[in-house]
Amino acid sequence: MDVSDRSRARVEERLTRLEEEFGSPAVTQTTFEVDGESYRRAVEHSRDGQLDVHAIVRDDDGAVLLSEDDEEWIIPRGQTRPGESLEAAARRIVKDRTGLDCSVAEAVRASISGVRNGDDEDDAAVYRLSVVFTAELADSETTTTEATEAVRWDADRDAVSELV
């Protein structure tokens, strides 16, 4: 089984598990080309079974939690670790990026990406899964006292679609 078949099988397995735990989120699929180095990273992440996780955390007023990443404000995002559940990864990523604890509410979207090597058209596509969760603060009283400095709240409800 080549990298394409293995990565596709892993994505399908994780989607099935996601549906069992959270129901059926909207699923999209896309294919794009990257440079050879980015392609090799995608292959490595696939071999490790890593998935991309994004968490939309809202406060009691509906504002969205953002963290600073490379001088850009984004929703907390990261990758699963080997053997880590998607829910545990979402909680860990929010904690690591913001210093705040959250509880995962639901999976709202899953995206399957076929990554092609733009430097070598003979390389097979490798498939990656990215899951977007909604989450709530575990304790809204900790918002200002425990958050890292690279955190802010965005009250623009429409901003989320631009951030994911």
Side-chain angles (χ1 to χ4, degrees):
M1 188 182 297
D2 69 8
V3 68
S4 184
D5 292 336
R6 280 192 311 274
S7 62
R8 166 77 69 190
R10 271 198 196 100
V11 164
E12 290 174 2
E13 174 190 322
R14 293 302 284 264
L15 260 179
T16 299
R17 221 177 318 159
L18 179 69
E19 290 173 355
E20 289 170 356
E21 293 178 34
F22 292 96
S24 299
V27 178
T28 60
Q29 186 165 348
T30 189
T31 302
F32 56 90
E33 287 186 0
V34 296
D35 62 58
E37 181 60 31
S38 297
Y39 176 80
R40 283 185 285 286
R41 278 195 309 271
V43 169
E44 287 304 313
H45 289 231
S46 173
R47 283 191 185 126
D48 293 343
Q50 290 179 330
L51 304 175
D52 300 315
V53 176
H54 306 259
I56 301 169
V57 182
R58 294 189 185 273
D59 68 7
D60 293 338
D61 297 323
V64 178
L65 179 65
L66 302 177
S67 63
E68 192 173 19
D69 186 17
D70 291 332
E71 299 181 19
E72 181 179 25
W73 290 98
I74 60 170
I75 64 171
R77 67 179 181 195
Q79 296 172 335
T80 59
R81 293 178 176 159
E84 183 178 43
S85 73
L86 288 167
E87 181 176 359
R91 288 192 319 268
R92 175 187 51 79
I93 289 163
V94 169
K95 180 73 171 183
D96 289 352
R97 301 281 190 267
T98 69
L100 300 171
D101 292 314
C102 73
S103 59
V104 174
E106 66 180 325
V108 293
R109 187 174 73 223
S111 299
I112 302 168
S113 299
V115 182
R116 296 199 165 278
N117 186 349
D119 295 341
D120 187 348
E121 63 185 40
D122 292 333
D123 281 342
V126 62
Y127 295 93
R128 304 268 303 140
L129 181 63
S130 177
V131 182
V132 178
F133 290 98
T134 58
E136 300 169 351
L137 289 178
D139 180 4
S140 59
E141 298 300 315
T142 63
T143 303
T144 57
T145 59
E146 293 183 17
T148 64
E149 290 181 18
V151 170
R152 72 179 175 100
W153 292 92
D154 191 330
D156 181 3
R157 292 177 176 268
D158 297 329
V160 171
S161 62
E162 299 169 10
L163 300 168
V164 182

